[in-house]
């Protein structure tokens, strides 16, 4: 449950991205909102299939995910309830990675069908790096169940260092 004061939030823009159940206590000035993003209300699901928890700078990391089309949502009688839907997805990558593979593409999904997308990541910095996020064009966020939106990978410095001592001649 999320407690919000009306003066601190624009309710119209907030409601565009989330289903809201509004409970109004009769004697209080504050309102209680419950954000409901149940998988049964989502039209699509993005799942991480292959991505290790750690890696090294300069080493290729496999990155696979699936995009699934769930059952129709009866509340949305639009183009996403057709038999076959064209899905345009983007891999949103930060400056900490190089992507090996397609950054955006189109796939066709039937009801209940999934597509697996394989690519690779090349980390160029160390630390806890956010896994690239996936977006589906023209689909509101609240209709997508994204399992790995906050997943991170621990990237270490290169594991092999070579040190060669070169003698300097002095005259």
């Amino acid at each position: 449950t999320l407690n919000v004061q009306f003066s601190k939030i624009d309710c119209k823009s907030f409601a565009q991205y989330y289903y809201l159940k509004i409970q109004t206590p009769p004697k209080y000035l504050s309102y209680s909102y419950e954000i409901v993003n149940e998988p049964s209300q989502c039209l699509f699901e993005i799942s991480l299939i292959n991505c290790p928890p750690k890696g090294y700078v300069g080493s290729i990391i496999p990155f696979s995910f699936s995009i699934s089309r769930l059952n129709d949502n009866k509340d949305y009688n639009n183009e996403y309830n057709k038999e076959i839907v064209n899905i345009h997805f983007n891999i949103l990558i930060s400056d900490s990675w190089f992507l090996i593979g397609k950054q955006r593409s189109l796939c066709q999904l039937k009801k209940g069908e999934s597509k697996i997308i394989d690519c690779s990541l090349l980390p160029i910095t160390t630390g806890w790096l956010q896994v690239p996020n996936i977006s589906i064009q023209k689909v509101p966020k609240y209709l997508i169940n994204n399992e790995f939106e906050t997943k991170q990978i621990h990237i270490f410095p290169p594991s092999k260092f070579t040190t060669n001592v070169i003698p300097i001649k002095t005259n």
Side-chain angles (χ1 to χ4, degrees):
T1 303
L2 174 67
N3 292 321
V4 179
Q5 295 177 350
F6 277 110
S7 62
K8 304 263 181 177
I9 189 168
D10 177 9
C11 294
K12 288 183 182 178
S13 64
F14 187 75
Q16 288 177 350
Y17 296 104
Y18 300 101
Y19 286 109
L20 298 176
K21 284 183 182 176
I22 301 174
Q23 300 170 348
T24 309
K27 296 182 181 179
Y28 299 99
L29 295 175
S30 65
Y31 292 88
S32 179
Y33 294 93
E34 182 179 342
I35 299 174
V36 180
N37 193 11
E38 299 172 7
S40 62
Q41 295 175 334
C42 294
L43 295 177
F44 302 98
E45 181 176 73
I46 302 172
S47 304
L48 187 62
I49 294 176
N50 183 17
C51 190
K54 67 177 183 175
Y56 297 92
V57 170
S59 297
I60 295 175
I61 297 173
F63 181 64
S64 301
F65 61 93
S66 71
I67 298 178
S68 304
R69 183 174 171 207
L70 306 175
N71 293 328
D72 293 340
N73 187 331
K74 305 299 182 217
D75 296 335
Y76 290 91
N77 189 11
N78 61 15
E79 62 184 88
Y80 297 111
N81 285 337
K82 294 179 183 176
E83 186 63 31
I84 296 177
V85 175
N86 291 325
I87 301 298
H88 297 269
F89 69 88
N90 291 327
I91 301 174
L92 307 172
I93 195 150
S94 71
D95 293 339
S96 302
W97 302 99
F98 285 131
L99 177 69
I100 303 168
K102 291 184 179 180
Q103 186 171 3
R104 60 180 59 94
S105 189
L106 167 75
C107 62
Q108 293 183 333
L109 293 175
K110 296 179 182 177
K111 294 176 185 176
E113 188 179 21
S114 296
K115 294 284 183 182
I116 296 175
I117 292 90
D118 294 313
C119 55
S120 298
L121 299 171
L122 185 68
I124 55 176
T125 61
T126 60
W128 285 98
L129 302 183
Q130 181 76 36
V131 172
N133 200 0
I134 312 300
S135 69
I136 300 176
Q137 291 181 358
K138 299 181 183 177
V139 178
K141 281 187 174 184
Y142 63 85
L143 294 178
I144 302 170
N145 183 21
N146 190 343
E147 291 182 356
F148 65 96
E149 203 165 35
T150 59
K151 179 155 174 53
Q152 295 181 332
I153 301 175
H154 196 189
I155 303 299
F156 296 96
S159 61
K160 296 180 181 178
F161 287 101
T162 57
T163 56
N164 295 329
V165 178
I166 301 171
I168 299 174
K169 295 182 182 180
T170 58
N171 292 337

